[in-house]
Every structure is written in structure tokens, then in C-alpha cells.
Amino acid sequence: MIHSLFMINSAGDIFMEKHWKSVISRSVCDYFFEEQQKANSPEDVNPVISTPHHYLIHIYRENIYFVAVCTTEVPPLFVIEFLHRVVDTFTDYFGDGGETAIKDNYVIVYELLEEMLDNGFPLATESNILKELIKPPNILRTVVNTVTGSSNLADTLPTGQLSNVPWRRAGVKYTNNEAYFDVIEEIDAIIDKQGSTVFADIQGVIDCCVKLSGMPDLTLSFMNPRILDDVSFHPCVRFKRWESERVLSFVPPDGNFRLISYHVGSQNMVAIPVYVKPNISFREGGGRFDVTVGPKQTMGKLVESVVITCAMPKVVLNMNLTPTQGTYTFDPVAKVLTWDVGKINPQKLPNLRGNISLQSGSPPPESNPAISVQFKIQQMAVSGLKVNRLDMYGESSPKKSFSFEKYKPFKGVKYLTKAGNFQVRT
Amino acid sequence: MSNGGGSYNAQNDSRAGSTGEPDMGTEPTGGFFSADYKKHDDLKQMLDSNKDNLKLEAMKRIVGMVAKGKDASDLFAAVVKNVVSKNIEVKKLVYVYLVRYAEEQQDLALLSIATFQRALKDPNQLIRASALRVLSSIRVPVIVPIMMLALKDSVVDMSPYVRKTAAHAIPKLYSLDPEQKDQLIQVIEKLLADKTTLVVGSAVMAFEELCPDRVDLIHKNYRKLCNLLVDVEEWGQVVIINMLTRYARTQFLDPNQQDVVADDDKNFYGDEDEKDSEEEEEDEEKEKTPPKKPYMMDPDHRLLLRNTKPLLQSRNAAVVMAVAQLYHHIAPKSEVGLVAKALVRLLRSHREIQHVVLSNVATLTTIRKGMFEPYLKSFFVRPSDPIHVRTLKLEILTNLATETSISTILREFQTYVTSSDKDFVAATIQAIGRCASSISEVTETCLNGLVGLLSNRNEYVVAESVVVIKKLLQMQPDSHSEIIQHMAKLADTITVPMARASILWMVGEYSDRVPKIAPDLLRKMAKNFINEEDIVKLQILNLAAKLCITNPKQTKLLCQYVLNLAKYDQNYDIRDRARFIRQLVSPAGEKGALGKHAKKIFLASKPAPVLDSSFKDRDQWQLGSLSHMINQRASGYSPLPDFPATAPDPTVRNVEVNPWQQVPMPWAEKTHKKKAGKPKKEAFYSDEEEESESESDSEESSSSSSESGSESESEDDSKSESGSDKEEKKSDEEAESSSSSSSESESSSESDSDSDSESEPDTKPQKKTPPPKSKSSAKPKKEAKQEVSLLDLEDIDMSSTSAPVPTPASALDVLSPSLASDLQGLSINDKKDTAISVTTPMFVSTTSHELLHRMTGEGLAANYRFTRGTCIYSTSMVPVELTFTNHTDSPVSNIRIGEKKLQAGMTLQEFPEIPTLPGGGSMSVSIGIDFKDTIQPANFQICTQDRKYNVSIKPPVGELLQAVTMSEADFTAQQSKLTGMNENSGKASIPSQHNNSKTITSRISELANVAPVFSSQDGLYRFAGKTVSGGTLLLVTVKVGEDNSASITVNCEKMAICSMLVKEVKQKLSQA
């Protein structure tokens, strides 16, 4: 399946390579570089490249190309999904998956890659298992290791991989037992010039932070599970139970994980919490820019952290604007206007207006730039999803016969609505 | 750990166990080669030292070199010594190094082999596994035999983890030495039979890499794979689904070939579970009237579709895609729509996933338009999309365009046209052209829109529009002369060659509509001829020739002029063309025979171009495959076979036909434990114990295996915490927990995802227990029915659903089967060394024989039936099910077996006394009889409270047998041992309508409890069984000749059985 992996930074250096079968010369990356040259931006490189003898499948994340080399037929998504899992693991281990982090922790990286893939076929990809095999670095451990000369490879070998709950390690113990659930929804929308919605849908996730002792068995139920019509689950969720009762029943992994992600389709009505009234016009040598933002269907909640960005046409030389609220910056190189609005006060709507100056001699652009909007609304899930209750059946020690040492965990649910890919055409 | 060592870039830092903070400042590659020699000496010294942290430090730096792709091979000798290091981390890094360089330094690598061989015997399963992993990753051909041995040991290892590693080792070994293929396939066969979810994924992976065409290995495991699928780890799921897609294409009929049964349409939307089972019932009903319905979905086909559907909800895009392609390739048309939603969901993912998904969706939309129509808006382009995603989305939008959606799409396209990305604009214009050509209603609108674009300021937009307009006009040239005029004017301003060429071609083609402009245009072009691009020049020539024919008066000279210019052009093609045209339009002298036809040649009506999706041809590839992505054949791609015209024998998949055999029972585990517990005395490490448990798990019947597996695992955990518990206590507890899990099915505290899936078979036999409230539990019941129906046993069906009296389940009745399967597992254990193993019967008879007539019994009737399972009381007994029915109104009490008058040696195990049988009620019990391999009847008495009845059971010879499986080779080997007196043969003529493999197989298995043995010869059928009591082997061979005559041979040491069976087979086969 996956034969080799090359990591290439933005400068085009192959700074790490790993081979799971026999060694493939790094010159195979030349085909990749060739393809990269043709592309305008790093994202534009075709993820699947065919060369005479190999197939290069890559992902681009954290400014690094992770290029996997395959020699035979393999489902491309298999490789792509795996590569993303690799980067996720790095991020999980080192805080970020960037080049510096990888270089700093190259031994761990190498050991991880060794564990994750055997002969090109994924072996252990669950972060809980990997963490038992290879301890993630932290400052305290580093100090201790330096002083005592011990290593941070686990002395005892993990049992998790062998159990039927491969995502959870055994013998978890906490003094404070807590379970937090974040219901985060992002609104993807395209709004047209007139302010009507061309397309809108909601992408939601429930991220959990579960720190419970033993082998807890949780059941999460919703007030209105009908909303969840298109869902994907973490493997721990019992599908049958969901099908029949519409409750999420699961033995959670330890720590942070994404329980479900769901999609509320464009068939449903989606409340659009903000509106943007743009008025951009160009003429020979200059133009006017006037944008107002206001709250729309916010269900009485405050719209916060509003940021408006607008990629201006290349001919724009500079912009001279006055905001009634917040601050704005214009990057004359990338031609990006960013206006950090902050909170929207319904009484006094934020507005940004002023003049645009164009390069002299060049014709004014024919089309107006699209505006993208960022915002956050706390304590609201725009789809209306509400958690009903969380029940736990847990034993702190799974096998002390019949003694169900019950503990009362601290439970919490948080809702948040954000803008995802929220664009206004002007 | 790494922070404890030098940083990735620090080359010169040779201090041992250096700083905690990585040195980020050192330059990326400098100082490496300069200090090369000294440096390596340095490392060697560190490796030779006896301090672990010096070694560790050295190893870390060496791994750093490996990671960067620097050559570290000259350190091999120094490193390989450390393979024996006690320090786990050093050891691990040495492994990393070894795997990388062993291939280059084969001789030295051999030094390390002994260490691995030792580790392969380590009591810790993880050490065994890692030793096998490294050993198999060292690509040194000399050690192939050693690897082979290690591999063979490991596939029967007790730990599933080691077996998984073994599965991974198979392709490695194969790539090292392809000659081992046959042996390796045998190993794969063993692994495929494994019932642990951990192993099957990897086993199928190995199967796919080595022998993807050996479908015969899958038959027996097909249903198991389908049932385990949900619980396999995600990567394994992808591989299994892909394999099963191919399997389904070879084994089932095309569901779309003929008109699918109407009910299939019903479960397009909504809750399919119930409908499915309903549908299946209907299917099964229809099966009774076979000739009328042309297509019936194989229940196994349905099983696959049903079990993969939940995986559409996986978080792993690859799994979702795999299911989508499975549905696309093997599901009935009406059901494929299900996958659309899941695929659309994936579009929110990373851009690479988007790209792959979109290109697959693009292919799907060319074939199945309606499927994605509801999701049209999800394919709207965003300015932030990368270019390849945008083009794919355009493609999809165009494919989806219909009369109803076209207005929305066109409005979208209008906004795209104003984009600043010119390539994208061009692509949009082409897309508009395609929409216009495919939907006649909007052709006019599109054309006007495109003409509008002709006045765009951007030249590329105009040029692209011209090209597209040309194509559109070609389809309906009438009534558009003003557009042609307009475009002719554009020729003055536009500079893009392709657009100019298009204009010229159009003016030439429709010159009769613009008779004044055309000659003028030619004049202008002729003036500038030498400066034009090649394609434009060619079109000028064309235009000249056409005008010369239609309007020679005005253009003859111009044409000559152009031709003369072209004659001296640099380009061959243009010179050629000029020469060719000259001959046609202005023939010199008399020879111009061609000239007469010039008009026909130049002014023939040209067919309009077909604007087709570029994804049209991609459906030849399997969806989701790499080959599909790159639209060319990737190495190792095997195309999906077409559905067979007639379905291959579906009975090959029959393995676990007896649903009663699969109940996990509280005390099954207990007895089991006691047996398995024995080796514990020698066991030293806690692992060992776990292994022995998991080992026995895997040999239990499938349903109970994973369940008990999970228990033994968690059990082990507690054990490691609290030392060793008392064994008894443990098993009690286990009994407790498993009983709770089977009754509450899911809510037990220990249940995990495994028990979810397991709950399905679990609940099946519990038809008499009060049904759980949840809706899901309704389903297994139906399934139980369905599974029975596979065998056409309507009787059982009836009795199981419409049992007249809701008798409380007698403990015995429910519990016995699993005990049986438990025992069966044990008997396999004993037989491990031979390749012959007891298997479940092919067929279980439902007809019962009368034991006691109700007249004789004064209202109490008794029937008996041979269940063909393994007897719960003793393996040498034939299990018999007795059913008592009380035909009177008053209850009968104290039913039991009284005096037994058995032949010498025969034994009979009686059933526990039935206290009362209410009036009108009936009850089944099982007894076991050891017939000592004779057909002597067993005579005994049935007693009630006040009466005694003499009854007798006479076994048919076929019921004295037990089905066994063996390979063909074993069969022939055993047969050759049983000749002479032990062979008995006869001849029969089979009625021609029954002369097919299915009937013969089913008839024989009806007659006797034997299992078919794979036969490589046509017309040769082999069956194997053994006598229940003596365990002597019995082999049946039926050879069908050309004239419907069959020669029957039975080989068995028991001559009496032999001759009787021949007689019976003869009779059975010649039945009309």
C-alpha cells in the first residue's frame, strides 16, 4: 500500500523520509516538484500524481507536503485519510504538526511512523494506543529523563491494542472525574449581492474532553435528535443503539476526541445571524468602499469576534477607510483588507467606508471582490440541537467483583456557533 | 524521549544524553560531510560503550541520519551488536535501523537473526509480535525458510495480535520470494478463518495482495466477514469492502439486469431494516414459485448490502468511499441513492479528500443523474476553493443540469464568469456551452448570454465564448445570421488564435448567410496572412476555398493569392493544405477530375460536435480506485468482473446454517474455562493466561467468540492490578456478566461495540424469552427467520413463530447448543494436527418421525427428529429431538424415560423429567443416543405419571454420520487407504432434470450428514463424514457420466454402513 513517505517543506527541502518497504530514491519527488511548479498556490497541486513507476499521493498541511509513494493500485482516499491521521497524531503529540515540531522530535516522529504502518498497511492509528506505546514529550519528563537518564518509551507494554475497546487504555484513574461536551456548529453560506441566501448549511461537531476513571459507559441523549440526520461517528459509538433509540451510547476514549460530526443540509432552513451590506464601486483610477454589518437572526444572543476580510483585486493600490468601530488593516502586497469589528451593537451598526485608489493607467476591475465573514455566538447552536442528558454507567475498577465504585463526574455542555465558510458576493 | 537527545539538526553535538532543549540554531545540513569520519568513529565508540544512555544518544543520532536520508550504512556492524540490548528504547531504534539497512548488508544482518528467533518464543505477545515484524521486514532472501517457519508458528499463535502481525508478514515474505506462494496461500486460508476482528482485516489484506482471484477461500468466510465488518478497524474495513465488492460481482446476479422486484423500490428512503427483512420474507415466498420471477436477490447479497450500510456513517472518508463504490457496483439501482448524502458530507473535509470525492461524484453524475440532484447547492463553487476542486464542481454542476435546475445553475455560472481567475472563467463558459447543448430549452438563453460576453473587456472570455458559440451554432445554424455577422466583426479585434480560427471557420461554413461580409473578411485576412498563427492560416485557406466555390466572381483572385502565400509557408501542413486545395478549386489544365466534386468535399454538412463530460469514460474503472483517479490503469489494478449470467452455487457459503448452535451461554464459558485453565499452572506471565483464553475464544463458534473475548481481556486487566484472583470466583463473575449481557443485550456495563453486533445472533434463539422493549430487538427475530429460510425449511419457520403454547424456555433447550458448540470447539482442538475437522451440517432435516401415536398414547403424542448437531451429552451420541404434544384437555405430568431395552454397548442419555405438559401444549427436549454405528433400533419406554409406552427409534444410516471438511488432497489420500473391502460402489441413473450440482449436493446432504469436499473435476462430487460413535471416516464419491448415469462409491471401514449408504444414495439420486 504505502511504500514510502517524504516530507517536503515550503522551501522544497525533503527534510524527512521513511520507507516501509525497500528504499525508493528521493528523486521520485522530482515529479512532484514539477507538478508543484505548475500550480499557482500550494493548494492547487493535484493530490494524486501519476509517474511512470510510482503514484504520488500527497496532502498539504502545516506548510508541509506529506508525499506518500505507492507502487500499486490503492484507494487514494485510504492514503489521504491515513496521512491526515499522521498529521493529526503529530499535532496531538507536539502541539503543532509543523516543520519545527517534527524536526525537534524526529525520534518520536520516526517511532510513530514505525508503529502506525507495517509494510504499508496501517497498524495502530488510535492516539490512545500510540500514547501508551510512545509517551508524548513534555517538559517535566524531559527534565526527568535528562537527570535520570531514563527514556520515555513505555516500560510496560500496552494492553489496549489487544482489547476490544481499542480506543481506550486500561487502568485510567483521575481524582477529578469530568466530562465536557462542546457542541460547535459552523455556518457555511453563500449570500448574494441582494442579501438573499444562495446556499447555507450547518456543519456541526461534538468535541469531548472526557476524563473519567475506569471503563465508563456513557449515554448522551438529545432533546431533538431528529436534527441529526447525516452523522458520522467516532468508532466508539454504538451504531445500533443510535439507529433504534437515537441516543449516543459509547465507551469514550480517554481525553480529547471528536464524538460525532454532523451535517444539517441545505434542505433545512438555516438562520443567518448576520447580514453584510456592501457597496463597492470602481471607476477609472479609484473607487468607493462602504460596508455595514448588522445582526439578523441571532435569537437574542450577542454576535462576537466579527472579522471581515476581503481580497481586493490586484489593481488596487491602497485603501483609505474609516471604521465606526474596530480596526482595519490593508495589506498592500497580498491586497487583503481585514476589518476586525469585534462585537456587533444592534443600536449602532458598525460601518467601514472610504476611498479606494487604483494603479494609475490600469482599467478598473470588472467584478467586485467577495467578502468573507467570521463571527462567533456563544451559548447557541444554530441548528437548535440541545443535549438532554448524560448518563454514566461506570465502574472505577472494572474487575473488583461486583463492587461498582460509583463516582459522580462533573459534566458540562457548551454550545458555540461560528461562521465556517461564510461568503458574501458583492 | 527525543527531547532528551540531540536535536534533528545538531550534528556535532556529541555529548551523551545532552540537553533537554533541542538545539534549533544549528544550520540544516552543514558540518555533516566535513566531520564525517570523525563523526562516525565517535558514534561507534558510543555504541560500543556499556552505558545505555550513550548508546541511546548514538542511536538517536543515527536514526536522525536515516530520517534525513543520509547514508549511515557503514555503522551497521556497530549497530547490529546492540540488537540484544536490554534497553527497550535502544532496541527499538536498532530495529528501525536494521529494517532500513539489512537489505544492503545481508551477511551482517544474519547476526541478528538468532535474537529474533529467541524473541519469537517470548512469553510476552508484544515481543513475539515485534520480533516477527522486524524479522519479516528484513529483506534478506537467505532467511526465507526461517521466516516461513516463524510465520507458520505465528498464525496459530494464541494472541490475536501476533496473528495480525503474521498476516502483515505474508505479503512481505511473498515479495521476497514469490515461489512460496502456495504455502503462503495455505497460511492465508487459516487466517481467513480467524474470527477475531483484529485479525480478519489484515488477513484479507494479505489475501488481496497475494491471491485476489482465489474466491474459493472466501466462500466459507463470507457471512462471517459480513457480520464482523462493523467491528473491524477502519483500515481493514476498506480492504474487506473492496474485496467483497469483487466477490459479489462474481457470485451474485446483476440486480439491475432485469426488472427488479417491485418491493425493492420501497426502501429507497426510510427505515430499511424492517423493510429489508420484510422484503426478504417476500423474496423467500417468491422463491417457492421460481420460474415466474426472473430475478431474486441472493440473501447473501442482501446481507452484504445491509451490513455495509452503517459504515456510511464512518468518520473515515476511505470507508465511506468504499461503501459508496460497493453500492454503486452491486446494489440495485434504487438503493444507490443512499450513498449520496454521505458523499456530500465528505465535501466538508480536507481539500485532498474533497478532490478525490468530487472526481468520483463527477463520474457518478454522468451515470446516475438523479442521485445528487437534491444536493445541487453543495457543489456551488466558492472563491476559496483550489482550482482543481472548482473545475470538478463545474463538471458536476453541468452533469446535474436538468430543465428544472438549469436556471439556478445558469445564475451561478453568471457569477462565476465575473471571477478574476481566467482559467476558471473559460471553464465556466465551456460549461455553459455544454448545458446549452444538452438542454434545448435554454439553448437560446445561453447563446444570448454568451453573445453578451462577446463584449466583455477580457479577451480570453471573449475568445472562449467565440469557440463555444461556434459549437452551438453548428448544432442549429438557422436563424442566427446576426450572431455570425457580429462575430465576423470581432475578427478585427480579437487576437486569440483559437477564437479567430473559429470565426473564420464559421464565416466560411455559413457564407451564404453573410454573403457580403465573407469576401471582405477574406480580404482582410489575406492582407495579414503571414503574421497569423498556424491554425488561423489553415482556416483562412479553408475560407478561401469555400468562398472560391460559392462566390468565384469576387474571390477567385483572393484565393489564388492566399494559396500562393501558403505555398511558401514554413509549416508543412499549410503547404500541404494549399497544394491540396489548389488542385480542387483551381485545377490546372484538364486533369481536374476532382474539381467537379469540390463542392461536395468542402460544403458537405458537418455533424455537430457532441459536448460530453470528460468523466464519461471513467466509469470503466472501479469507483474510488487509484486507476479511476488518474484515468489510466494503475499497476496491480484488476478490473471488476461483470456479473455472471447465472448465479454460481450459493450453497458454497453455507457454513453456519444451524442458528441454534450459536448461543453463548453463561456456563459454556465456565466449562470452557476449566478446560482452558489447565495450562495456567505453567503460565508464568499474565499474558500467557490471556492468550490461552483468547485462543480458545477464537475456536469457539463465532457469535460467542468476541463477546467472551472482551471479557477475558478486561479480566486480564484487573488481574494485572490485583494479582491473581481465584479462578472460581472469576468464572462465577464471568457467568454473571455474560448472562447479563445476553439478556440485556446492550446495557450491560461491560458491553462494548462488539457486544452490539453480537447481540444480533445472541437474541436469535431466545425466541421464547420475553422480547426486549427496544425496537432493535425486533429485528434479530426476523433475521433468525430469514436465516432459517435459507434452507427452505418452512416447517421450522412455522414452529418457531407459531408455537401454540408459550412454554417457558426450559433451561436445557436454550443452553444446550452453545455447550455443544463449546464441545465442538474442543474436539477441533484435539484434531488440530490433521486437516480434517468437524463442520456444521449442510442440511438439517425438519421432518420428524413418529415415536408415539396419539391414539396409542391416549392423547400424548411424541415425534422425534435428528438435529444433526453435536450432542451435548457426549460426542459419540447422536442428538435426537423429541417433541411431546398433549392432545387432551387435561395436563399430563411427569413425562420421563422409563426402562431402556438397548442393544449391548448402546447408551441413551435421557432428558430431565417434564413436570407437567398443559392440555393442548407441546414441548421439545433433546436426548442423545449412542448407536455404536449400527442401525439397530433403540427401544425404551416413555412414562407419564400413570402410564408407560414402549417406543423405539431406528436411525437412518445417514444420521449416524457427522459432516467433516477436508481438502481435496486429503480426500484422495484417505480414499486410497480405504480400498478393497472398505469400498462399495453402485450405479444409478439420475433423472436429467436433476443432473446438476445443486440438486446432487443437496440430495446427498439431505440423505446423510456429510459435507461436500471441493472437487476440481467437473461432474465429480465428493462428500466426507465420520461416524458419530466410532469416528471412522466415510467418504462418498459420486461421478456423473454423460448419459446421466452416476457411479457411486462409498469408502468406509464399517462395511455395513458402507453398503447401506450406497443403496440409499442410489435410491435417492434416481428419484424423479
Side-chain angles (χ1 to χ4, degrees), chain B residues 287-318:
Chain B
E287 236 158 338
K288 314 255 151 68
T289 58
K292 281 182 189 155
K293 274 293 164 192
Y295 172 73
M296 209 55 57
M297 186 180 272
D298 191 308
D300 287 329
H301 192 169
R302 171 56 62 199
L303 177 76
L304 176 60
L305 292 176
R306 191 176 47 224
N307 281 345
T308 45
K309 208 192 124 223
L311 298 180
L312 283 175
Q313 246 128 2
S314 170
R315 63 169 172 172
N316 189 318

Side-chain angles (χ1 to χ4, degrees), chain B residues 636-649:
Chain B
Y637 173 81
S638 57
L640 267 186
D642 281 330
F643 282 106
T646 52
D649 185 11

Side-chain angles (χ1 to χ4, degrees), chain B residues 757-778:
Chain B
S757 67
E758 245 53 84
S759 70
E760 215 174 287
D762 281 357
T763 29
K764 264 187 237 161
Q766 301 179 342
K767 51 197 176 229
K768 284 171 194 158
T769 57
K773 278 157 236 153
S774 66
K775 204 177 125 203
S776 70
S777 55

Side-chain angles (χ1 to χ4, degrees), chain A residues 166-328:
Chain A
W167 52 85
R168 190 175 177 89
R169 63 197 170 92
V172 183
K173 217 148 178 70
Y174 288 104
T175 39
N176 295 323
N177 288 294
E178 44 196 15
Y180 298 107
F181 295 84
D182 291 358
V183 181
I184 302 168
E185 296 191 340
E186 296 190 355
I187 303 176
D188 287 357
I190 302 175
I191 311 288
D192 72 5
K193 206 179 288 188
Q194 284 75 37
S196 57
T197 311
V198 177
F199 163 81
D201 63 5
I202 300 168
Q203 301 288 341
V205 294
I206 299 185
D207 282 341
C208 311
C209 175
V210 176
K211 295 183 174 173
L212 299 173
S213 314
M215 273 288 172
D217 194 331
L218 303 180
T219 309
L220 188 69
S221 60
F222 300 97
M223 307 279 259
N224 36 13
R226 282 177 162 277
I227 293 172
L228 302 178
D229 157 57
D230 184 9
V231 198
S232 71
F233 299 110
H234 188 275
C236 70
V237 177
R238 297 185 179 103
F239 183 72
K240 289 251 161 58
R241 192 93 190 273
W242 171 255
E243 282 281 272
S244 58
E245 296 168 55
R246 296 275 145 183
V247 293
L248 295 173
S249 157
F250 54 100
V251 174
D254 189 33
N256 295 312
F257 66 101
R258 175 158 296 175
L259 183 62
I260 62 169
S261 50
Y262 57 92
H263 173 235
V264 181
S266 44
Q267 286 90 341
N268 302 43
M269 278 300 290
V270 177
I272 304 293
V274 294
Y275 70 86
V276 177
K277 225 173 9 188
N279 192 357
I280 306 172
S281 59
F282 294 106
R283 61 193 146 66
E284 206 62 51
R288 288 286 304 163
F289 185 93
D290 184 345
V291 170
T292 311
V293 198
K296 215 170 164 185
Q297 297 151 287
T298 60
M299 298 171 208
K301 298 279 198 295
L302 194 64
V303 185
E304 302 171 311
S305 326
V306 181
V307 178
I308 289 192
T309 41
C310 180
M312 301 304 282
K314 294 278 171 275
V315 288
V316 172
L317 201 62
N318 208 345
M319 300 180 80
N320 188 10
L321 309 168
T322 358
T324 57
Q325 173 182 343
T327 53
Y328 86 97

Side-chain angles (χ1 to χ4, degrees), chain A residues 145-150, chain B residues 1-7 11-20 23 39 42-43 45-47 49-61:
Chain A
N145 287 351
T146 322
V147 175
T148 61
S150 65
Chain B
M1 144 204 52
S2 84
N3 275 8
S7 100
Q11 264 90 32
N12 294 319
D13 182 35
S14 57
R15 278 168 298 136
S18 73
T19 73
D23 318 353
K39 171 142 211 76
D42 203 36
L43 285 170
Q45 265 171 26
M46 286 161 76
L47 286 169
S49 84
N50 47 12
K51 278 194 192 138
D52 269 353
N53 47 4
L54 276 181
K55 284 182 180 176
L56 189 57
E57 173 59 24
M59 277 319 295
K60 280 180 179 172
R61 280 165 48 195

